Amino acid sequence: MKMYIAGEWVGSDRSQSVINPFDGSIVDEVPLADASAIERALAAADRAALRLLNSTGAERQKIMERAGQLADERVEEIAQTISLELGKPIREARIEASRAGDLIRLAGFEGAQLYGQGLPLDAHPGAGKQRLGFTLREPCGVVVAITPFNFPLLLVLHKIAPALAAGNSVILKPASHTPLTALALTRVFLDAGLDPEAISCITGSGSTVGDRLCADERVRKITFTGSTGVGNHIARVAGAKKLSLELGASCPTVILDDADIERAAVAVASGGYANAGQVCISVQRAIVHEKIYADFLDALKPKVEALTLGNPLDVSTTLGPLVSESEAERVERSISESVRRGARLITGGERSGATVTPAIVADVDSSDALSQDELFGPAVAVTSVSSLEEALIAANSTTYGLGAGLFTENLSKGIKFLRGVNAGVLHMNWTPLWRADLMPYGGTKGSGIGKEGIRSAIAEMTEEKTIVLHGDV
Ligand code: NDP
């Protein structure tokens, strides 16, 4: 597979393998971009951004509609690619791929709705009615989009679709584990008639190409999703640019003593283990009222044990491998170290190659590393609390603030929780693992800055220009 730079599919002297984490087979090879490839991508993006300033919302929306149609037609092909390069169960990969068309069309619509506002300049002393003021929204220019491995389609589209729909050019740098889906999406936009220089998809290691892309002065906006460490590094390198950072998390779900235990157990059994727990809004922590603690564990255990580990391409598989064997080793170690510190392993936690059996770890202190540090693996740490107040303290105790969930039948307690948790996206009577592509989405604290969700992303990928018309003065 070649990468797409400055209007051309190109190779390179050096390449890297894309490995299927389930069986270790090589799925494909992609080029490792060198400095000259990056420079060509930047120069092309700069030229395209200037041309796109003259594009109309109607023209852009038409391209997005065609791209949405092509994404619909390619769902199965793209789902197979996601499953092969990431090890995501094919049924989850199909759901991910089938969201592409609507997401692109939504971006097309929002990109044609760049509303400004009228300014009440007569309220400025001395301005009277002789002046008119309003704002215009315009594309911000060259957008660099850097994406993680865990949702190789959705997290790429949540950046490139709004960027292109709003009239920007984009340089996409997908995760090294999952470049093939990103390249397939690049082809979707090109086949839909996008300006050939408006998108480049650079493959290669982020630690090699990242600084050059992020520091370049032609880039106006960096939109990054990934770990908190890399996000902080990018913020240091970027300088004065528009920046969105969607970073790490350790999301809590609180289950109070009046909750529907069965509903909560069903939701945690799916929200803690989807994509082998490699989801930023995964349920990492279940914070459970002591009165129902044992009943909740009894309800959760059979559901977690019923998850089917296996070949991701098999439709009966509900739990695939982690993205690599070293990630599986890290997750296995985090679980066993927590157990050594006094937690109780209810089920799972055994590794074979890149797979780890789905684990429930009970009696985890909320200060323990299994609660505090992002796990990104198929395990839920369960902690007992005696009140809503204690649950709030536990929920807020990490450096992260991406999502949180609460199960209760009591609206007043719900409101207290929703107001009291410091996180970007909150759910009552579900876990944080739920997302509609239209909703504002992003974290607080160490989980990042800025919001995604198509309308929010477009707001962050455009500039607001203030215009004043002066009459007789
Ligand atoms: P990483 O931070 O390791 O990588 C993310 C991207 O950054 C990859 O494309 C990577 O490239 C690139 N990168 C690495 N080093 C640099 C650098 N120095 N400069 C610029 N780019 C660089 O994250 P993962 O891919 O491992 O993804 C998992 C992380 O993503 C978790 O922390 C998870 O919480 C977070 N995430 C957050 C979400 C949110 O919405 N808040 C959603 C999904 C995931 P390469 O692969 O080549 O190293």
Side-chain angles (χ1 to χ4, degrees), residues 58-292:
E59 288 162 356
R60 296 195 302 268
Q61 192 171 5
K62 224 173 221 133
I63 291 170
M64 300 303 277
E65 273 167 14
R66 277 203 294 270
Q69 175 68 34
L70 291 172
D72 286 342
E73 289 166 13
R74 297 176 193 179
V75 164
E76 185 55 26
E77 178 195 324
I78 294 176
Q80 296 279 334
T81 303
I82 295 172
S83 190
L84 281 170
E85 68 178 345
L86 173 56
K88 182 173 279 193
I90 188 68
R91 46 204 273 180
E92 286 184 37
R94 285 185 179 135
I95 294 170
E96 182 174 354
S98 66
R99 277 165 70 172
D102 283 344
L103 193 158
I104 295 169
R105 280 184 287 273
L106 176 63
F109 171 76
E110 293 289 352
Q113 307 292 308
L114 301 183
Y115 283 99
Q117 54 177 329
L119 303 175
L121 292 185
D122 61 303
H124 180 75
K129 298 261 184 194
Q130 264 59 264
R131 292 174 179 85
L132 276 180
F134 56 92
T135 63
L136 286 178
R137 281 222 160 261
E138 293 193 341
C140 67
V142 177
V143 174
V144 162
I146 302 178
T147 54
F149 69 82
N150 60 328
F151 281 87
L153 176 138
L154 281 176
L155 297 180
V156 165
L157 279 184
H158 265 288
K159 298 186 183 312
I160 66 173
L164 295 170
N168 301 292
S169 60
V170 180
I171 301 175
L172 168 64
K173 207 313 272 175
S176 291
H177 285 298
T178 54
L180 302 175
T181 308
L183 290 164
L185 292 171
T186 302
R187 196 179 284 283
V188 161
F189 285 99
L190 293 170
D191 291 351
L194 186 72
D195 180 326
E197 289 192 325
I199 188 166
S200 283
C201 183
I202 291 183
T203 54
S205 155
S207 55
T208 313
V209 304
D211 284 8
R212 204 176 281 268
L213 280 176
C214 295
D216 195 276
E217 285 180 4
R218 287 163 287 189
V219 174
R220 177 62 181 153
K221 160 92 189 172
I222 299 169
T223 170
F224 169 79
T225 300
S227 58
T228 301
V230 174
N232 284 331
H233 174 80
I234 287 174
R236 283 193 292 274
V237 170
K241 295 188 174 71
K242 290 163 84 74
L243 204 56
S244 301
L245 302 173
E246 301 286 343
L247 308 178
S250 168
C251 294
T253 291
V254 170
I255 301 142
L256 295 182
D257 52 349
D258 63 355
D260 178 338
I261 294 174
E262 182 61 20
R263 180 184 168 104
V266 167
V268 170
S270 103
Y273 306 90
N275 197 25
Q278 301 166 116
V279 189
C280 49
I281 44 177
S282 193
V283 184
Q284 183 171 329
R285 300 179 283 148
I287 299 167
V288 185
H289 196 284
E290 60 190 10
K291 280 194 196 151
I292 54 152

